[in-house]
Amino acid sequence: QVQLVESGGGLVQAGGSLRLSCAASGRTFSSYAMGWFRQAPGKEREFVAAVRSGDNTYYADSVKGRFTAPRDTAKNTVYLQMNSLKPEDTAVYYCAAQLGPYGVTYRPDHYDAWGQGTQVTVSS
């Protein structure tokens, strides 16, 4: 019902910027949240950022002030703009969709559809 297509991963030097995108179909942006998660080797998947209906945004403490998650409703696309990147940001990044407004924003098990993941590598 909901399909997500990601793009934008790559290699960047510390202090640089990268922009990920996730195109969604099947539901309007006002009917579900769009979130970003990341997973490093040997680590559990962790919350990064999300935007809910009404454009309420949420960010993990580790990325607050550096990352933003702008949403383009006309294109059914959410972005993850990553600035001031650090080596510890290296991970596979996933976008995810939540069908309704009542799920917990930060919990990956409360999201209903996932993108394929894209590798982000930050070098010193």
Side-chain angles (χ1 to χ4, degrees), residues 4-9 19-23 29 33-39 45-51 58-60 63 67-71 77-82 92-97 105-108 111 113-120:
L4 307 175
V5 179
E6 296 181 355
S7 62
R19 187 178 179 90
L20 308 182
S21 64
C22 177
F29 274 57
M34 296 293 297
W36 288 97
F37 295 80
R38 66 187 182 186
Q39 188 166 20
R45 192 165 299 185
E46 66 173 348
F47 172 78
V48 176
V51 56
Y58 306 82
Y59 299 96
V63 306
F67 292 9
T68 59
R71 196 178 195 178
T77 299
V78 65
Y79 304 90
L80 186 65
Q81 178 64 50
M82 303 182 291
V92 176
Y93 283 70
Y94 300 88
C95 66
T105 303
Y106 321 100
R107 291 183 57 169
Y111 286 76
W114 293 83
Q116 75 280 6
T118 184
Q119 177 71 47
V120 172

Side-chain angles (χ1 to χ4, degrees):
Q1 186 175 1
V2 176
Q3 297 181 17
L4 307 175
V5 179
E6 296 181 355
S7 62
L11 175 65
V12 65
Q13 289 188 336
S17 298
L18 201 62
R19 187 178 179 90
L20 308 182
S21 64
C22 177
S25 62
R27 308 281 285 185
T28 65
F29 274 57
S30 63
S31 64
Y32 57 84
M34 296 293 297
W36 288 97
F37 295 80
R38 66 187 182 186
Q39 188 166 20
K43 303 294 184 181
E44 294 187 0
R45 192 165 299 185
E46 66 173 348
F47 172 78
V48 176
V51 56
R52 303 196 68 92
S53 63
D55 287 333
N56 295 328
T57 55
Y58 306 82
Y59 299 96
D61 289 342
S62 59
V63 306
K64 190 175 186 298
R66 299 188 298 120
F67 292 9
T68 59
R71 196 178 195 178
D72 188 336
T73 57
K75 297 180 179 178
N76 283 340
T77 299
V78 65
Y79 304 90
L80 186 65
Q81 178 64 50
M82 303 182 291
N83 302 317
S84 301
L85 282 162
K86 304 174 181 179
E88 53 262 44
D89 294 318
T90 296
V92 176
Y93 283 70
Y94 300 88
C95 66
Q98 199 172 85
L99 293 182
Y102 305 116
V104 177
T105 303
Y106 321 100
R107 291 183 57 169
D109 57 312
H110 282 209
Y111 286 76
D112 304 288
W114 293 83
Q116 75 280 6
T118 184
Q119 177 71 47
V120 172
T121 302
V122 183
S123 63
S124 299

